[in-house]
Amino acid sequence: MAIKLDINPIKAWLPGKTDPLLVSGPCSLETEEQVLETARLLAKDHRVHVFRGGVWKPRTRPGSFEGVGSVGLKWLQMVKEETGLLVGTEVANTQHTEEALKAGVDVLWIGARSTASPFVVQEIADVIKGTDSIVMIKNPVNPDAQLWMGAVERVYRAGIKNIVGIHRGFTPFRETKYRNYPNWKTFIELRRLLPNLPVICDPSHIAGKREYLFEIAQKAFDMGMDGLMLESHRDPSVALSDAAQQLTPANLAKLLDNLVIRYENASNPDFENQLEVLRNRIDSIDSEILELLASRVDIVKEIGKYKRENNVTALQMNRWSQLMENRVKTGKSMDLNETFIKILFQLIHEDSVRMQTEILDNE
Ligand code: PEP
Ligand code: MN
């Protein structure tokens, strides 16, 4: 069920902001020079609002660079003082959160691995309680809108109203060109559940590679998202983490120049724009339907081969009537038109039988 939490719009904590929220900075803070040089370059581009940088890094396997630790907080303070940008880092336990708050870090974000664990989220929420922090919550690594929503609620119940969701993609369940599967429908579901939660997109962790950043960033605006988190580094080739997906500040500026920014909220009640956002959502749902159909075809073919080996017919009436009955029932429970579901599954089934017959004939 959709719920209306009294979450602040971004402009409540960024007064005067009219354009989408932009968070940028290195994956990891590495040295004082790297941090300050990157931040200075980013601050010159007045489109960046928040400087990001990982101090404690959650790495999939031990042994890789795990962040500089607390010393990085001092560098964030320097960035804040010198550039006036808001600064943000990831916190994953009580100690991180206490230290970051003490250092005056404005934005605390909860990483994808942490959002997947309600205990961790609660631990962080308990420490942030009563502060005026800005808390950004990445989606959990699995595409579960309820779990994502639950993390938002835990933080909200700790009295925090400056909350932003970050869509960073999901652990892929099959081969994709991206590092993390975008599964836009999970974002659409979160938006349905929490309509007034601002949500930004993190194309860096979805893409995994620089070459895909633009298409994902554009898609995020097409879907009506409220901003972007993009990793940038003064020299990505020597970055200690996520080197392949980071941009130099100059290339970040180029990417931003080419993006078409679309607005969905009521302050821009422009009909064509609204329609475009909705149509883009339809396009992306349709492409997911097609992907699912392709996965179904793979299985149908596998079954065809299995039937051939066992001399079984392509058409099995029992299975077919059961399937139809079940699909119509499920469709009805989702308010889908009965005739439409019947025709749709008749077509799907006919084509499956056609494919299996071809396989049987190819003995
Ligand atoms: C990051 O932002 O650098 C990071 C580790 O992200 P995620 O939690 O999305 O993997
Ligand atoms: Mn990273």
Side-chain angles (χ1 to χ4, degrees), residues 27 52 57-58 90 109 111-113 138 168 202 205 231:
C27 176
R52 65 148 280 158
K57 299 300 301 175
E90 173 174 350
W109 86 78
R113 294 156 192 81
K138 292 206 175 196
R168 52 76 80 195
D202 170 354
H205 291 89
E231 288 184 338

Side-chain angles (χ1 to χ4, degrees), residues 156-267:
Y156 181 79
R157 286 184 184 197
I160 306 297
K161 293 197 169 177
N162 303 329
I163 310 180
V164 175
I166 306 178
H167 172 229
R168 52 76 80 195
F170 306 90
T171 305
F173 56 87
R174 65 182 169 115
E175 196 79 32
T176 82
K177 64 178 186 176
Y178 300 134
R179 174 177 175 190
N180 286 296
Y181 187 64
N183 211 48
W184 300 99
K185 65 171 183 250
T186 308
F187 154 68
I188 296 173
E189 178 63 1
L190 184 77
R191 179 121 298 172
R192 192 184 69 74
L193 292 167
L194 294 172
N196 57 342
L197 172 75
V199 181
I200 65 172
C201 182
D202 170 354
S204 308
H205 291 89
I206 293 177
K209 285 201 186 113
R210 274 180 285 282
E211 58 186 299
Y212 303 136
L213 293 173
F214 179 81
E215 64 191 50
I216 297 165
Q218 184 59 60
K219 175 101 175 196
F221 286 135
D222 294 348
M223 305 277 288
M225 288 198 175
D226 303 281
L228 298 171
M229 175 185 261
L230 279 159
E231 288 184 338
S232 57
H233 190 292
R234 64 171 176 181
D235 182 1
S237 67
V238 297
L240 297 181
S241 59
D242 291 352
Q245 70 194 31
Q246 303 204 57
L247 288 171
T248 58
N251 284 333
L252 172 76
K254 278 192 205 147
L255 182 145
L256 297 174
D257 289 343
N258 289 318
L259 284 173
V260 180
I261 295 166
R262 300 184 206 282
Y263 298 92
E264 196 191 19
N265 57 41
S267 64

Side-chain angles (χ1 to χ4, degrees), residues 53-69:
V55 168
W56 301 281
K57 299 300 301 175
R59 305 313 297 273
T60 302
R61 309 249 331 266
S64 32
F65 176 63
E66 296 197 316
V68 289

